Amino acid sequence: MDRVADLNLIWKNTLSDIEIDLGKNTTKINFANSRLSELKDGVAKITLATAIAKETVDKRYYTIIQKALERQTKDKVSLLFEVAPAIPSVSPGPLFDTPETKTSPTATTPAVFQNDHYPRTRLNPRYTFANLIVGASNNFAHAAAVTISKNPGKEYNPFFIYGGVGVGKTHMMQAVGNELFHLHPEFQILYITAENFMNDLVASLQDKSMPVFKRKYRDVDVLLVDDIQFISKKEAMQDEFFHTFNSLFMAEKQIILTSDRPPEEIQVEDRLLSRLMGGLATDIQPPDLEMRMAIITKKLALKNEQWDGEVVEFLAARYENNIREVEGAMFKVLAQAQAQSQPVTLDLVKRVLNLNVSQGKTAPLLMASPQKVLAATSKILGIKQADILSEKRDAEFVLPRQIIMYLLRKECQIKFEEIARLLKRKDHTTIIHGVEKIEDEFANNLRLRQQILLIKKEVWG
């Protein structure tokens, strides 16, 4: 494969990935006649058809494009946009190959692209069994997950995992997906949130493209759905998910679901509830102190870091219920230590996390009102407060909204339900997703980290 064909393949797969986030119409409009013209020394040069397209893409979709390209190249990249009057068209590829379009990898196809489902599966390659700490709180769920990865669609179908926020449900579910990805590269695997499913359904009804929707969700071998409790009280969504479920189940395709509550507590119609409870439902409990310490040690090892045992235990003891909070605190300390070129000590941990030692818990920054956080975010990012609080789903409004969710939860320690009310969201699962999104990107996205630090400085000085 020559260099141009190589770049075209990367860009085609990248656009397919972007399409999952932005939708088919938005992707088609903004990336028409675009191409990846150069990829060298960690810089991706992207050529767009018009100056308007260049300005829009750079302003609104920089991070989405960057992450999609990094998933393709397996390396960090920065983006450079340019305009050309006439560019060969590279349209977004379909979410799944149809019999008419599917091609077989050839001997000249780079190994990294052969059977590379990541752009379409949306799996996080870091969520594997190898990176999962197993203890008393999740050992039963882990055993079931391993069994499913060896015999998908045959036992424990559906597999329903439930538990509180940040206990590792998504990691467990995606570990099965990643294991099957490696064992069966021919499998079509799709990870989504229930909110993604609903948004796709609404868009398909509006565009009158339901056949495409059904093909996307029913022509898969493994369907992984996060936060299925989001389906509560949504009749049209429940009806379509019921038929999707039946189609996959009858074809012995594996279905894995996660929820913040057991299936019987989700408000769905009886016929769907019977399906949700028809396989294996198991919970994951919050990790104990030893498991939290093991998680911190494992995460540090992945970054070639090692902290003193006293520091690890001190940090683990401060976060009792949420694995993600433990990880978030660890990455926050690590980022500060690297920025200041100093070793991680107990004093640094206390200072960075603003720990009130006399109370033995994190001291929330309650003096900052939600309105002050909103105002600071609006000022630093240059987005109107009304747009942040609106229903607009453009990337330029979604990111500021998620940053506010993150700050209200992590710094002010406001409950998810209350944040949803403050930001005029209908369901607190949207808040959970927003906080998780920022947490996932905070350690590795320098641009995002700088924005958050500037907002915090504006609010708290």
Side-chain angles (χ1 to χ4, degrees):
M1 179 178 288
D2 61 33
R3 181 62 176 170
V4 173
D6 194 359
L7 292 175
N8 286 344
L9 178 58
I10 294 174
W11 189 235
K12 180 180 179 180
N13 290 336
T14 299
L15 288 174
S16 295
D17 196 355
I18 292 171
E19 184 179 321
I20 294 174
D21 281 318
L22 301 182
K24 183 176 181 179
N25 290 338
T26 300
T27 304
K28 184 177 181 179
I29 291 170
N30 289 285
F31 295 90
N33 297 325
S34 63
R35 66 187 175 96
L36 177 62
S37 52
E38 185 176 288
L39 183 59
K40 184 178 180 181
D41 297 329
V43 178
K45 184 181 292 185
I46 299 169
T47 306
L48 296 154
T50 67
I52 294 177
K54 173 182 176 294
E55 181 180 359
T56 301
V57 168
D58 192 4
K59 183 178 180 181
R60 296 185 179 183
Y61 308 125
Y62 184 102
T63 301
I64 291 175
I65 301 168
Q66 182 185 46
K67 291 300 180 184
L69 261 176
E70 288 177 349
R71 284 190 287 269
Q72 282 297 315
T73 63
K74 307 299 187 292
D75 201 2
K76 297 294 181 183
V77 298
S78 58
L79 309 181
L80 179 65
F81 299 101
E82 65 176 12
V83 180
I87 305 168
S89 174
V90 181
S91 60
L95 292 174
F96 295 104
D97 291 324
T98 62
E100 291 77 15
T101 63
K102 189 171 184 178
T103 58
S104 301
T106 66
T108 57
T109 303
V112 70
F113 298 118
Q114 290 187 14
N115 297 314
D116 188 354
H117 292 188
Y118 279 121
R120 292 172 288 185
T121 65
R122 304 191 74 181
L123 291 170
N124 186 331
R126 293 179 296 142
Y127 287 163
T128 64
F129 286 129
N131 292 333
L132 181 67
I133 301 297
V134 181
S137 66
N138 65 356
N139 57 0
F140 181 77
H142 173 261
V146 171
T147 298
I148 290 169
S149 68
K150 295 177 180 178
N151 197 17
K154 306 298 182 182
E155 297 184 62
Y156 309 144
N157 197 23
F159 182 36
F160 193 108
I161 310 170
Y162 63 94
V165 176
V167 296
K169 303 185 298 294
T170 298
H171 189 150
M172 185 75 73
M173 174 171 65
Q174 290 205 29
V176 179
N178 278 305
E179 186 73 7
L180 289 172
F181 167 76
H182 291 293
L183 292 175
H184 303 279
E186 75 281 6
F187 273 16
Q188 296 285 10
I189 303 171
L190 178 62
Y191 163 79
I192 56 159
T193 66
E195 186 178 13
N196 293 149
F197 184 88
M198 184 190 74
N199 292 338
D200 275 359
L201 175 59
V202 171
S204 298
L205 290 170
Q206 291 174 342
D207 297 343
K208 298 181 180 180
S209 58
M210 282 303 293
V212 176
F213 173 89
K214 291 179 180 180
R215 187 167 65 249
K216 174 181 177 180
Y217 286 101
R218 300 183 190 184
D219 291 355
V220 297
D221 298 289
V222 183
L223 179 64
L224 314 171
V225 185
D226 231 340
D227 293 322
I228 193 63
Q229 75 276 357
F230 186 80
I231 205 170
S232 292
K233 302 180 181 179
K234 298 177 176 66
E235 294 182 5
M237 182 179 175
Q238 289 180 27
D239 185 65
E240 186 56 42
F241 186 76
F242 172 81
H243 292 296
T244 297
F245 186 107
N246 273 356
S247 176
L248 294 173
F249 183 81
M250 295 303 293
E252 296 188 335
K253 306 301 183 181
Q254 183 65 52
I255 304 165
I256 306 180
L257 312 168
T258 72
S259 171
D260 63 1
R261 68 202 73 168
E264 61 269 21
E265 294 182 11
I266 300 176
Q267 298 182 39
V268 296
E269 55 189 44
D270 290 343
R271 62 174 185 169
L272 180 55
L273 179 60
S274 69
R275 300 299 192 276
L276 299 182
M277 298 180 66
L280 174 66
T282 183
D283 68 331
I284 297 180
Q285 294 294 324
D288 57 22
L289 176 63
E290 289 73 19
M291 187 172 176
R292 295 196 300 275
M293 291 177 64
I295 290 169
I296 294 174
T297 302
K298 179 73 172 181
K299 296 292 183 181
L300 289 171
L302 292 173
K303 291 186 171 292
N304 296 316
E305 291 281 338
Q306 184 175 0
W307 292 356
D308 184 80
E310 181 185 31
V311 175
V312 172
E313 183 174 359
F314 180 87
L315 185 60
R318 262 66 191 166
Y319 299 90
E320 298 178 357
N321 299 314
N322 193 320
I323 293 175
R324 200 170 292 111
E325 286 184 353
V326 176
E327 295 176 359
M330 183 198 77
F331 287 132
K332 188 174 182 180
V333 171
L334 185 59
Q336 189 67 28
Q338 291 175 344
Q340 297 178 357
S341 298
Q342 67 179 93
V344 175
T345 63
L346 200 54
D347 287 339
L348 177 67
V349 172
K350 294 176 182 178
R351 185 172 71 254
V352 171
L353 299 180
N354 191 32
L355 289 176
N356 185 329
V357 181
S358 64
Q359 294 179 351
K361 297 288 180 181
T362 303
L365 303 176
L366 297 176
M367 71 289 295
S369 68
Q371 180 57 42
K372 192 172 182 180
V373 175
L374 172 62
T377 305
S378 172
K379 177 182 177 181
I380 297 300
L381 300 184
I383 305 294
K384 293 180 181 179
Q385 295 185 34
D387 288 330
I388 295 176
L389 294 175
S390 72
E391 295 296 327
K392 296 177 181 178
R393 296 185 55 81
D394 303 72
E396 65 175 314
F397 305 129
V398 171
L399 180 61
R401 202 174 292 145
Q402 291 175 335
I403 289 175
I404 291 173
M405 296 173 186
Y406 172 84
L407 290 173
L408 292 180
R409 176 60 183 168
K410 294 302 177 182
E411 302 297 351
C412 300
Q413 294 191 2
I414 297 175
K415 293 182 178 180
F416 289 114
E417 292 82 0
E418 178 62 13
I419 297 173
R421 187 188 68 78
L422 290 168
L423 296 182
K424 302 178 182 179
R425 303 299 108 181
K426 295 180 181 179
D427 196 291
H428 74 282
T429 55
T430 303
I431 311 302
I432 295 173
H433 172 71
V435 173
E436 291 176 353
K437 183 76 177 293
I438 300 301
E439 286 178 336
D440 288 342
E441 294 190 12
F442 186 86
N444 299 315
N445 189 329
L446 178 61
R447 188 181 185 186
L448 173 66
R449 190 158 64 243
Q450 289 173 336
Q451 289 173 331
I452 291 177
L453 291 175
L454 287 172
I455 294 169
K456 290 175 66 175
K457 185 176 181 180
E458 179 73 20
V459 176
W460 290 287

